[in-house]
Structures are given as C-alpha cells and as structure tokens.
Amino acid sequence: MIELKSIRWGKPYESLDVEEVKHFYTGEPVARVHAVGGGIIQRDAKKAKYARKALQAIPPAELVDRLKKAGELFENGTLPIGDGVQTPDDFIAQQSATTGMPVSMCRANVAKNAFVLKNIDQILDCLTRGLSLDLLARGYGEEGRGVTVSYQATCDALGAVLPSNSPGVHTLWLPVIALQMGLVLKPGSSEPWTPYRVFAAMTEAGIPPEVFCLYNGAGSDIGGAILGSCRRAMIFGGPQTVDQYAGNERVQVHGPGYSKVLLGEDCVDDWEQHVDLMVDSVYRNGGRSCLNASSIYAPRHSKEIAEAVAAKLGPIEVLPPDNDEAGLAAFTIPGAAPAIWGSIENDAKADGVTHVTQAYGDRLVERDPVAYLRPVVMHHASHQSETRNKEQMFPMVNVVECPQDQMLRAIGPTLICSAITNDEAFRSDLINSIDIDRLNLGPIPTPQVDWLQPHEGNLIEFLYRSRALQLA
Amino acid sequence: MSSAEPPSESAAAEARAALDAHAVETVAWHFHESTGCPFWLEKKSELKFDPLTEVTCYDDLKKFPEFEDEWLRGGPVRRWVPKGLADKPVYVFETGGTTGVPKSRIAIDDFRTDYSLFSDTLPDQYFPPGANWLMLGPSGPRRLRLAVEHLAQHRQGICFCIDLDPRWVIKCLKKGWIEQANAYKQHCIDQAITILTAGHDVKCLFGTPKLIEALCLELEERGTSLAECGITGIFSGGTEFTPQWTKFCVEELFGGPPEESGVYMTPTYGNTLMGLACSEPVTAENAYKITYHAPQPRAVLECVDFDDTDRVVGYGETGRSKLTTLTKEFFVPGFLERDEGEREPPCAAYPWDGISGVRPFSKLQGGTTVGVY
C-alpha cells in the first residue's frame, strides 16, 4: 500500500487526517492519502507567485524538452510515488483497482496523457495558434507583420479540481507548466494516481517540484478553497457544477459533453456505412467521457439505426477488469447504478420512447459491492422527447428521429458534434451554431481527438489576456 | 502529575459517588409535585416506575424511555420550567431552526454556572484575569453570546461581540450560494479586525473553528497576526474541531506551540443541553488528540453502542454520543446526540469517561450541513 502525502509547493505534508483509497471490488486499501483542509490551501495560495518565478527562470524551450522527457517517464518509467516506487504496470493496476475501470481503458489513457507530453511543442503550437512561447514568456513581441502584440498572464498558477471518472481529461492541464505557471491540483478521490504520476515524471525530468501543489481531502472544502484562491481554475462536474460557475471568469467548468452524431438528409440513406462509427462514439472509453456520443439524430431510418446500434452494443457483457476485452467500468458508489437504472426505466415509459436493448438481457448487473450497467439504446420517435439529450456515465445513446431543419434547435448544448453531411448549407448552419463547441464535419467518431486542435475552452485564452502595449 | 494521567482509584470512586447522589437529587427535584416541571410531572404518569423511589443511582436513569427530540420542539416552553424556580427570570435557547421548529430549552442560571466552572480550567497565563474578550460566533437565540460574555465578566473582563447567524449561513450553503456565504463570513471577520485593532486591549477570544481560521488568514493577508493583535488565549468549539485543524492552527496560523507563539488554544465541545465539556491538553506530543470530558455531575457524556444505546462501548471503541443533563433547571435523561466518537478513559483532571474524535454521526451525515460557522 502506497502512502500519498499532500504536496505543498513541492514539499510532502504529513497530515493527521489520513484516508484510505480502497479496491473497488475487494474493499482492500490500496493507498493511504493525507488530507488537508481549505485553510492550508488558502494560505499556500499566497505563494503562487514563487512557482511562476521558478518557471520563468527556465526558458520555454528548456521546459518543453523537460516535459517531453516527462512524457517518456510517465509512460515507461519506474517512478517514486509517495513512499514507494511505481512501474507503469503498477500504475495501471492501481488505477483500475480504485476506479473500477478495466485495465485496457487505463492503459489507453496512459498513452493519451503521454502523447500530449511527448508532443507538447506541437500541442502548444496548436493552442497558441502559432504564437511563440518566448513571446508569452517575455510578455510582448513582434508577430512578424510589424505589429507588437502583448499577452498578460492572468494568474501565477492554475487550480484544477480533478475527477475520478476519466483519466483522459488530465490532458487539459498538462501544458500549463510550459506556460510558466504553477499547478494546484485536487486529485480525484478514487483516482489520485494520474496527478501523482505526472508530478513524479515532471520532477524527475527536471521541472522544479516547488511549482506543484497536490491536495487530497474532502471535495467541497478543498474544491471551494482552490476555486476561491486561484485566480484561474478548472473544475469537472455535472450540470449543477456548470450552473454554479456559469459566468465566473475565474473558473473554466467542464461539465457533461452531450456530444452527438448528426446524420444529414443527404447521407442518412447510407446510415449502414456509419454504424461502426456510431457504436465507437458511444462505447469507447466505457462511455464515461464527455466526448462520448449520448445522442444520434437522423431525419429518417432512426428506428433501424437504433436497432443496428443495439445489435452491436446490447450483447456486450460485463467482464473482469483485467480481461483485455472488458469495456464497461463499475459504478463504485453504492446505490448509484440502481438509481440510474431506475431513472432510465422511468424515462422509457414516456410516449414515443422505446428501450431497444431490452431484448439483450438485463442492463443492471449487481455484483456486490459494485454494480454495472450494460449499454442502453433508446429510440425517440420525436425530437420533442424530453429525455432525448440525457447523458449517462456508461454507454447509453438516444437515437432521435428529427427533421434536418429542426436539428440545430433540438440538440441543445453540444461539446462534440460529428455531422455526417455534404450539404453545404447545413454545414454552414452547423459552423455558425453557438451550441456546438468542437465540430467534426464528416464521418469522424466523437471521441477522436486531433491533438492539433484546441479542446474545449482554449487554455491560452483562459490563462493569458491580449492587451495593448506600445513601445517608445 | 499531568492532568491527562490516570486518576487515582479514590478520585474515580468519589466522582462516581457524587454522580449517583446528584442523579438521585436531580430526579427527586424534577418529579416532586412541589418543585418539578409540568412536562416531567405529566410524563411521570406514563412511566412504569416511580422515579422518586426507584432511582437510587445514576444507572437507574436507564429506566427512563429514550428521550425524544420532538419533546423539545414547540411550546408551551414554560412546561419545562420547574415549579421550584417559577419566580426566576427565564431564558430560552434554541438549536437548529434552519427548517421547521427549532429545539429549545429553558435556562435560568445554568449557562452562567457552566461557564464559571469552565473558567477554572483556563490557565491565567494565557487568559489573564481582567483581560477583555472578543466573542466571534453565533448569538441570536443561542446561549453562546451570553455564556461567553458571562465568562469574560466572571474573569473581570469586558466582552466585545460579533454576531453571526448560522441559520442564514446554512441556507446559503444549501442553496449553493457560496459567494454570499463567503461574503457574510468576510463581513464578520472585518468587524472582528476592527475591534481587535481599535485599542480595546482584547487578549482573549472565543471563535468557531472556521471563523478563527478565516480571521488568522485575513490578518496574515494584512501583514499581521493574532499574536501581534494581542491575543494570548483562544477558546473554540464545534464538531469540526479536528486534530489536523489544530495542528494547522498551532504550527502555521499561530506560529508554534504556546511557549513559542504566546498563543494558547483550548477546544470545547458544548451544546444547549449539556453546557461545556472540557478538553485534556492538546499537544503535538499527543498528535493533537482532542478528548472531551463532560462537566460531571451536571452532565454526563457516554459513548454507546449504535444499536443497543444502553450499552457503553469499550475504551477506544467507536460509539454514539449520549448525553444526560442533570441540573435543577433542566433534566434530560439519555439524549442521543448527532455525534459519534471514541470512548476515552478517565484522567486525573476529569476522573470519569471522556470522548475523542467527535464528529457528525456517520449514519446522519447525508442529512446534516456540517461546518457551518
């Protein structure tokens, strides 16, 4: 069992409050984490400027080199974590043990995070839209067309309240160090592993440890303190969290994705060609991430589409987490899966809504002390169905019959929209839609990320503000 | 001998004898037609025993049925006033009240007695007699303001008060109005700093843990500290008072243990029914462990089995906090608190059981808002 102390600007802090992170199935303790209270975070926040100064002393190009090395170490290194050492296999096993995610999914997420670090120069080039990091470091410079541009940092360190459900989201904060800002992280309560491994990999690669804070403990207390004391912070949560921080310029909130696949009038008759794409969009990463499609819209053939997708997703069984074929994650919070299932059953009673995976056996699989939900496909005969855009933390998709000219009104907020259409007028409407964040034009699965495109909420725009600077 | 060392056998026996005698005397007072209160005199007819003849020691109080929360909600509140004290001025103190009817109890002098006795446990070095106090916590229908003010006066000081309405804070938190809750907290802290820096020679402070933390952080932000403001003694209470929080305060907010920083803090665990439980000394050597002992024989705290609430758990074992109030003003046998903790053995200063690690009762956590003020 590993002991993970909180990290306060690089220094381990021994707390009197120690919590155990347990194996999702056996209940055996896997880690002991030292928890802190909000007061410590508020106090430490006053020293954030020293983290920035320490990073400003290192040229951006050198930081980039060290981060690339950190990517290698994150993926392949045996690293000091807490009071122990951790091989890549240990990391994957520990992550699976405490989150309930299949080993294969954990392994896939390692590659994703490592890719971002190993290609950090290209990622940053994309995030900055080609702006030199030296310009950000200096605060101003010439853009190459005789115009002085200036960018001002909006904070000394980025705070992040991290989730336990999907280790892939860590890609969002990994570039921060190269931007010469510190990191104040609250690891997910059942997934402390990724932040600690990133911290170890980065410090082994030469990033000063004093630019990191990792705080374990009660979510509301620590989360509130991080969001209250960091001038820029990101948080992951549900619709309630999104509502709470809407309009708060200090907080970038990452909520449910409500990602969708849309089939245009011109392509819908070829729907059979896109069944695998739709299944992949729903099922990849266990259906747990914001990038997974939760709704498919089609002007016709929606029933056949639902049945075809159900035929692929419906038979998927719960497999042990170490089985390479396992694709479903356990719900580790007691009562969560039965409650979600109850809500879905209730939704299925509405007029025009049909549970299409019903024929493939029980969806709720209870394996005390956890439970699983097998994939669910719902068909909605009308785009006016109230539950057409509902999103769940497992592979569940709503297939909605909807005329093309009603789609943009019906889809609502959408993180990823994969629109399969060649209709230029429809494409133009999609491009102009303010409800869609990332737009995929053509048959691209929703979870397919082009790392040279900024993800939701551009980090540069969040951490820097463009300003006027005149030189005499 | 340290106050945390075990008591002598004779001290423990004397304490037990005093408790038995006090229990008999208190029951006799509350159930006698000439002195008892209307509530208990009426309840007497429902009992399957005669309290006047069949309560011969503290353990006989188990013959009473479990005390029900609801009996304290709603009026007429005068049914709790003993006939023997009917001509005295009566206070009413409340707990809860965010939603529904709060629980209330009557008080005449109990709150003063509790705090006069507690005063004897405060070291004069850090709580100098004659020093002025700042009370930073809830007032309104709660007894805390009057009690702390009495404590200051009892020690020949004058008490400055900052008001805090915890019901409003709880409403803000439940509605997710975090910014409003924080703004309200800041409003209280600003007033406290105004008092502390206005030349009133305040040396002693009562504050809830969250407010003490916020006060220290704000003083630090302004380039000063509690010690620089002249504070030498702090007493603080609340179930969120944990060893880790105490460690943080002592090591970082105060600047070290009392002998280095000059700031001494003692925790208390009190409520409207019990009065004030006292703490064994809390030190780094003891990993800031916080152990409370009730003000026996006026109140008794037991750590009981979660299911069989008549059974006290073994030393070191976890149980639910059960309270018995035994004063002439108020008699409450076996009130099950919303807290749990570990049973602790008697010590020299308090030769009867204590309780440590007090925290909200885990089975009720979902329904309570903790850490309010």
Side-chain angles (χ1 to χ4, degrees):
Chain A
M1 183 163 54
I2 283 186
E3 187 134 341
L4 299 171
K5 291 179 182 168
S6 280
I7 305 291
R8 301 175 63 187
W9 298 126
K11 290 188 182 149
Y13 178 75
E14 183 156 345
S15 175
L16 296 172
D17 285 346
V18 181
E19 295 164 4
E20 288 185 341
V21 185
K22 294 179 176 165
H23 191 290
F24 80 98
Y25 197 75
T26 65
E28 288 290 311
V30 181
R32 298 178 83 240
V33 296
H34 287 240
V36 298
I40 280 182
I41 293 160
Q42 288 177 60
R43 194 161 184 274
D44 288 353
K46 293 168 188 165
K47 297 177 185 162
K49 60 187 173 197
Y50 300 114
R52 179 146 166 80
K53 279 186 180 165
L55 288 166
Q56 283 177 312
I58 305 170
E62 177 62 31
L63 286 174
V64 164
D65 285 346
R66 294 181 195 182
L67 290 177
K68 286 183 165 189
K69 190 176 164 195
E72 290 289 348
L73 288 165
F74 179 81
E75 191 166 29
N76 302 312
T78 295
L79 297 169
I81 306 286
D83 64 346
V85 289
Q86 185 189 63
T87 66
D89 285 342
D90 292 339
F91 170 64
I92 289 163
Q94 286 158 342
Q95 191 177 66
S96 173
T98 59
T99 61
M101 279 197 309
V103 165
S104 57
M105 273 160 53
C106 296
R107 188 165 282 122
N109 281 310
V110 168
K112 207 183 287 182
N113 288 317
F115 179 91
V116 168
L117 286 172
K118 288 193 288 189
N119 296 279
I120 195 73
D121 46 353
Q122 291 181 67
I123 303 278
L124 286 164
D125 193 48
C126 134
L127 286 172
T128 62
R129 301 295 192 184
L131 208 61
S132 159
L133 287 184
D134 290 331
L135 194 149
L136 290 178
R138 190 181 180 199
Y140 72 95
E142 275 233 353
E143 214 182 9
R145 53 191 172 94
V147 176
T148 299
V149 291
S150 174
Y151 291 88
Q152 186 175 41
T154 54
C155 62
D156 294 314
L158 173 77
V161 182
L162 301 170
S164 285
N165 63 317
S166 182
V169 298
H170 299 299
T171 52
L172 290 174
W173 54 265
L174 290 176
V176 169
I177 294 294
L179 298 170
Q180 297 178 310
M181 288 172 188
L183 279 169
V184 177
L185 307 173
K186 185 214 166 310
S189 54
S190 59
E191 208 281 286
W193 309 107
T194 305
Y196 273 90
R197 190 164 174 82
V198 169
F199 168 65
M202 286 192 180
T203 51
E204 284 280 296
I207 304 295
E210 63 265 30
V211 306
F212 296 94
C213 287
L214 277 76
Y215 298 118
N216 303 302
S220 54
D221 189 27
I222 295 188
I226 288 180
L227 297 177
S229 58
C230 291
R231 281 191 291 163
R232 288 291 183 271
M234 58 172 65
I235 185 169
F236 300 81
Q240 203 182 345
T241 307
V242 174
D243 288 346
Q244 191 177 340
Y245 294 104
N248 185 339
E249 63 165 21
R250 293 160 59 108
V251 179
Q252 190 180 78
V253 55
H254 298 264
Y258 303 118
S259 296
K260 298 176 180 78
V261 175
L262 272 52
L263 290 150
E265 279 277 2
D266 58 325
C267 295
V268 72
D269 294 335
D270 300 327
W271 63 269
E272 283 166 297
Q273 292 176 24
H274 305 299
V275 171
D276 286 346
L277 175 147
M278 290 187 269
V279 167
D280 184 24
S281 296
V282 175
Y283 183 57
R284 203 192 293 185
N285 202 33
R288 286 162 71 100
S289 65
C290 51
L291 283 66
N292 287 110
S294 48
S295 302
I296 296 167
Y297 279 70
R300 54 184 172 273
H301 307 304
S302 63
K303 200 134 197 289
E304 296 106 293
I305 292 170
E307 283 165 358
V309 172
K312 297 232 175 194
L313 289 175
I316 292 172
E317 297 283 356
V318 172
L319 295 171
D322 55 355
N323 186 316
D324 283 345
E325 299 300 313
L328 299 173
F331 284 86
T332 55
I333 298 170
I340 291 168
W341 179 240
S343 149
I344 292 169
E345 278 189 309
N346 196 45
D347 291 347
K349 290 176 188 161
D351 283 347
V353 180
T354 311
H355 175 203
V356 191
T357 28
Q358 198 159 24
Y360 298 93
D362 290 341
R363 302 291 95 186
L364 176 64
V365 179
E366 295 191 87
R367 298 210 175 144
D368 193 37
V370 298
Y372 292 81
L373 286 168
R374 295 171 63 209
V376 169
V377 177
M378 298 290 243
H379 179 255
H380 299 253
S382 163
H383 62 279
Q384 288 172 332
S385 165
E386 279 185 19
T387 55
R388 65 188 182 276
N389 292 328
K390 262 201 176 180
E391 178 173 306
Q392 301 290 358
M393 282 267 290
F394 74 102
M396 173 174 166
V397 67
N398 302 287
V399 183
V400 185
E401 181 109 351
C402 180
Q404 181 176 297
D405 63 0
Q406 297 296 315
M407 277 186 195
L408 285 176
R409 199 174 298 167
I411 60 172
T414 301
L415 176 64
I416 317 280
C417 175
S418 287
I420 303 173
T421 178
N422 296 308
D423 175 346
E424 283 304 323
F426 187 35
R427 282 187 165 208
S428 176
D429 289 343
L430 289 161
I431 288 166
N432 287 325
S433 168
I434 56 167
D435 276 336
I436 298 170
D437 195 343
R438 177 191 290 250
L439 178 60
N440 296 328
L441 291 173
I444 300 168
T446 57
Q448 185 171 313
V449 173
D450 176 355
W451 292 105
L452 300 186
Q453 292 289 331
H455 190 56
E456 57 169 325
N458 189 314
L459 195 64
I460 305 298
E461 290 162 12
F462 189 49
L463 299 182
Y464 283 88
R465 71 184 185 96
S466 173
R467 65 161 176 191
L469 188 145
Q470 299 181 88
L471 291 166
Chain B
M1 183 173 67
S2 155
S3 58
E5 285 178 14
S8 65
E9 273 185 32
S10 61
E14 274 174 35
R16 184 68 202 191
L19 175 62
D20 285 338
H22 187 76
V24 173
E25 187 185 323
T26 305
V27 167
W29 169 268
H30 282 279
F31 286 88
H32 196 279
E33 286 299 329
S34 65
T35 54
C37 69
F39 177 85
W40 283 120
L41 292 176
E42 191 187 324
K43 202 49 92 179
K44 191 174 158 186
S45 61
E46 297 170 18
L47 299 174
K48 293 174 183 155
F49 68 101
D50 182 358
L52 293 175
T53 57
E54 294 179 58
V55 172
T56 59
C57 62
Y58 174 77
D59 282 344
D60 284 342
L61 298 182
K62 286 179 185 164
K63 293 175 182 173
F64 284 98
E66 201 166 276
F67 191 88
E68 294 176 26
D69 260 34
E70 289 306 309
W71 294 344
L72 294 174
R73 294 186 206 275
V77 73
R78 202 163 263 283
R79 73 191 191 280
W80 291 101
V81 180
K83 288 180 187 173
L85 301 170
D87 58 338
K88 304 276 187 189
V90 176
Y91 293 91
V92 60
F93 298 131
E94 296 177 358
T95 72
T98 308
T99 53
V101 180
K103 283 178 277 184
S104 52
R105 74 155 282 189
I106 61 102
I108 296 162
D109 272 321
D110 269 355
F111 67 96
R112 294 191 188 94
T113 309
D114 291 335
Y115 277 64
S116 296
L117 293 172
F118 171 70
S119 173
D120 298 339
T121 70
L122 297 177
D124 286 352
Q125 180 189 355
Y126 297 106
F127 295 88
N132 291 336
W133 282 66
L134 174 65
M135 149 60 187
L136 181 54
S139 60
R142 283 160 170 80
R143 72 173 189 150
L144 200 54
R145 179 258 163 108
L146 288 172
V148 173
E149 192 159 33
H150 170 73
L151 176 66
Q153 292 167 349
H154 181 74
R155 298 180 71 82
Q156 296 88 49
I158 296 169
C159 186
F160 293 83
C161 298
I162 307 298
D163 186 23
L164 176 106
D165 178 359
R167 293 177 186 175
W168 178 243
V169 179
I170 291 175
K171 272 191 178 163
C172 287
L173 296 179
K174 283 187 172 172
K175 287 174 183 288
W177 298 347
I178 309 299
E179 275 184 41
Q180 285 90 332
N182 284 337
Y184 185 56
K185 181 166 74 175
Q186 188 61 41
H187 169 63
C188 296
I189 297 302
D190 287 346
Q191 293 175 71
I193 292 177
T194 302
I195 295 292
L196 287 179
T197 55
H200 288 304
D201 196 26
V202 174
K203 290 191 170 67
C204 305
L205 168 74
F206 171 85
T208 62
K210 288 236 183 295
L211 290 177
I212 287 174
E213 182 179 287
L215 176 62
C216 290
L217 289 169
E218 182 62 27
L219 287 171
E220 194 173 66
E221 186 73 28
R222 300 185 190 193
T224 182
S225 67
L226 274 182
E228 283 183 19
C229 288
I231 296 293
T232 57
I234 301 171
F235 114 79
S236 178
T239 53
E240 74 270 45
F241 206 118
T242 64
Q244 169 56 27
W245 184 79
T246 309
K247 172 183 155 85
F248 168 55
C249 278
V250 171
E251 292 178 357
E252 301 186 46
L253 297 181
F254 301 162
E259 49 276 18
E260 282 173 31
S261 66
V263 178
Y264 174 97
M265 177 167 69
T266 183
T268 57
Y269 173 56
N271 60 40
T272 298
L273 293 181
M274 173 174 58
L276 211 54
C278 294
S279 159
E280 293 178 23
V282 180
T283 62
E285 291 71 35
N286 196 22
Y288 297 98
K289 184 174 178 182
I290 296 164
T291 302
Y292 297 112
H293 295 267
Q296 256 183 238
R298 293 167 51 77
V300 179
L301 258 181
E302 291 169 298
C303 203
V304 299
D305 185 90
F306 291 108
D307 299 316
D308 177 7
T309 56
D310 273 339
R311 188 183 76 79
V312 172
V313 300
Y315 287 120
E317 288 177 17
T318 302
R320 188 169 180 180
S321 169
K322 184 177 177 183
L323 174 67
T324 294
T325 308
L326 293 164
T327 73
K328 278 194 166 179
E329 292 176 20
F330 213 57
F331 169 62
V332 174
F335 182 88
L336 286 165
E337 296 264 43
R338 286 169 165 259
D339 295 326
E340 64 183 19
E342 285 71 46
R343 183 185 173 202
E344 295 291 339
C347 63
Y350 309 104
W352 50 83
D353 277 1
I355 186 169
S356 67
V358 179
R359 54 200 175 265
F361 180 39
S362 50
K363 288 184 184 169
L364 290 173
Q365 257 180 2
T368 55
T369 302
V370 182
V372 170
Y373 47 81

